Amino acid sequence: MIRGSSWECGWCGDFGSLQRTPAKKSQNTAQITLTLSFVYHVDLPETWSDLKKALRQIAPNDTSLSQLLGKVLLHHISAGIQHAGALPDEKKAEELRTFLHNTLDLNLGENAEEVMRDAKRGVLFCEEAALSETDCGTFWTELLATRPVEDYYNHVDPDGLFELFSELSSAYAYFGGKKDEEMGEAQDYQNALEEAYNTHWQNKVLLHPDVERAKRLLAQGKFPDYEDICREILLVEYPEEVPHETAEDFDELSWERVLDDVFTRDSEKGMEMWRRLLDIAEPSLKTDAKTAEKLLPDWDWLDSPTDDQALPLLVALDDERFVSQLFESAYLDRLQFHVLEICRDCGEETLARHCMDLALKNPCLEEQWRKRYTQVLAAAPSSKRTKPPARALARPPVSTPAKPAGESYYQFCNVQFKEDGAAYAYLTGGISLKAGDFVVVPIGDHQAEKLARVTEVFVCSTQNAPYPPEKAKFVLRKSERTAFPERTKPQHPAPKQAAVPAPTESRRAVPPVQSAPTANPQKSAPTVQSAITPPIVSQTPTEPEITEKKSTLSKKPFPLGKIIAAVLAVAVIAWVSISVSDRNKQRAAAYDAALQELSNGNYTSAEQGFSALSGYRDAASLSVYCKYADMYKDRTDYAGGQDELSNITLQYDTSWQQDVDALETRVKGYKAEKDAAEEAERQRIAAENAAKREQSLKDQYSGKLPVEGMPVSCLKYTSLGEPDKRLNCKNFEKLEQNQKYFNVYWYDGNGEMIAAGMCAQWRDDSEFMLKTFSQYYPSGSNKGQTFHYGNGDNNSGSIRDDYDNPEDLWEDNPDWYEDEDEAWDEWENG
């Protein structure tokens, strides 16, 4: 590298001064042409000293690495010898022999002559020192183990690493490079070592992560930039589910994508993996909204889950710890909303209420989601799910704290399994039913499905329920039947003859009842039914209760006390039904009045009416519609509401759905116009700022020589103009951004190089910057004069034209001259 009147070799470190040609020459002055010839030489003792110094910088006080360093040096020297195909010339061989004999801390385990002999046969100490894309010796493995993981993600190389590679590469090229090509081979070898080292460093960090560190960070709610600690935990604990053949497998493979794929294949395994992360992060879930938001994403499958996907979720919700992680976290959003919907659609109303109670008490719950959560149980089950998962029906109910009387209301229905049969109570689960409808319900411990007819539908509180709501079963679905199937009676009954089973819509039939054997066929006539209508029983029937025939009336007299109790029970139930019915009539009348106000266009009044009926039919949704219909009645600019309107799906008064959709479309258009205007304004401001910055840079560098630290994009403004040539480093496209560099060159009209520079983008740089710059003097009659050539139009060829006074010349270029007087002489002669 040449700077002013000094030169320095970037490889060997030699330097010296160049004698500047005097500005004024007498006629007797002799002109001498100086030709420089560089000889590549490596001083082995100095190289060994530099290697030990570099290692101390990388891994201070690591004696095990120090013991291996000598073998590493001899490995690369012998690799150079094998690359050349023979031992070096006698001079270099003697240098190596002397170095091995005099250096006592190499720890090679062999004497000098043995090492020289073995170097003829092959590369030495591969097990300890090999470093390539496929091999990583003991020294390099231990060296990688000393580096913190943060260095990889922050693109930081430890001090001394570059020097370590540089010294090893110089030794390799000295013993294995062709004459006059040593510098190029050393650079290529160093690039290969660095690339192999970075590959093993990447594999160590990504394929063999420090899982304890990742767990510690997750528990603290710390998510380092560019690092996926959740994926690291899943990789170590569930390697069979995370692709990890190579580090490239992790390109764009986040932990969320891993779990999405597992949920698709094996929902139960996916739920296990997700819960593992939640358990680790539990200390931060309730206090750190960022942690909760990251670990509680709105999974795609929650929007329309299959039975196989919903069941593992319901089973997990049996664990109060999981329920707390979801609904007592510091971030509640769409995920919890979908979980509530799934509980409702699967008939787990008690579980849904328990989860919703936790959410409503959570201070982190935003008002918009508070309204939507409370509407879940008021709405009918989603049409996306026709019935709950079969196995979920067998799950034990979730225990919840007792509620005060009158706080919660439930809709029950009484059903019969045959004409004039006993009545059994079931929860409707949101299915619209009326007396006379036929339904399918579960019976027995095995949840067998049975056909039944609805005799009554009523609403009651927890205190007045005919059976504890948390233990009651749900109606599965409506049936298309309109009557019980007729039973075929045998004409000639015989002993042990099976009765014909009652047909049902079940995929699992109820076992037929065996009739009792009789000796006299005449005694097989139907028995007399009880004249008293049985009261509603407080438990669901078992299969034998439903299928066996009623026995004959007991001969014992029926106690009068039981008759009175039965009459009183019927009277109480009737009173509750009447009071609830009156309340429902009042709500229906208020709802119809609100609908009338909506039809008349009185949106404010309608909104107030619907708001007072939250939870009744479509009141909550229509209240939102009225709010924004009134807002946008005379407005054409966006003022909010797109998301709320897009979530409205009417379940009952569907004739208004087209009006809701039309308003949503209009509001969506206003939103798009607003977003487009804001984006256009942002682009205008960005373009204006970019133009100002460009003009500022042009003013800063225009007409001047390039300076180190300036952006490469501004070279066109300098007095040299755009570089005439650019030369990228080896493997430019494959290297990390902070490892790439390229050289630029300027030439004069005769093809001689007049300037050169090296450009790179280090970690803190926003773009490629000029890191080094050198100006050369062309041969010819103008020795001693600085020339400015290039593609620019501002080149004058005269220092006086470029600098108004000698002080500016000296101030801008202090390294060109011995002192200011020399700069004055240069300017006066220019």
Side-chain angles (χ1 to χ4, degrees), residues 390 662 694 727 744 793:
E694 192 70 15
L727 183 63
V744 292
D793 297 328

Side-chain angles (χ1 to χ4, degrees), residues 420-432:
D420 300 325
Y424 297 91
Y426 282 83
L427 289 166
T428 64
I431 300 176
S432 178

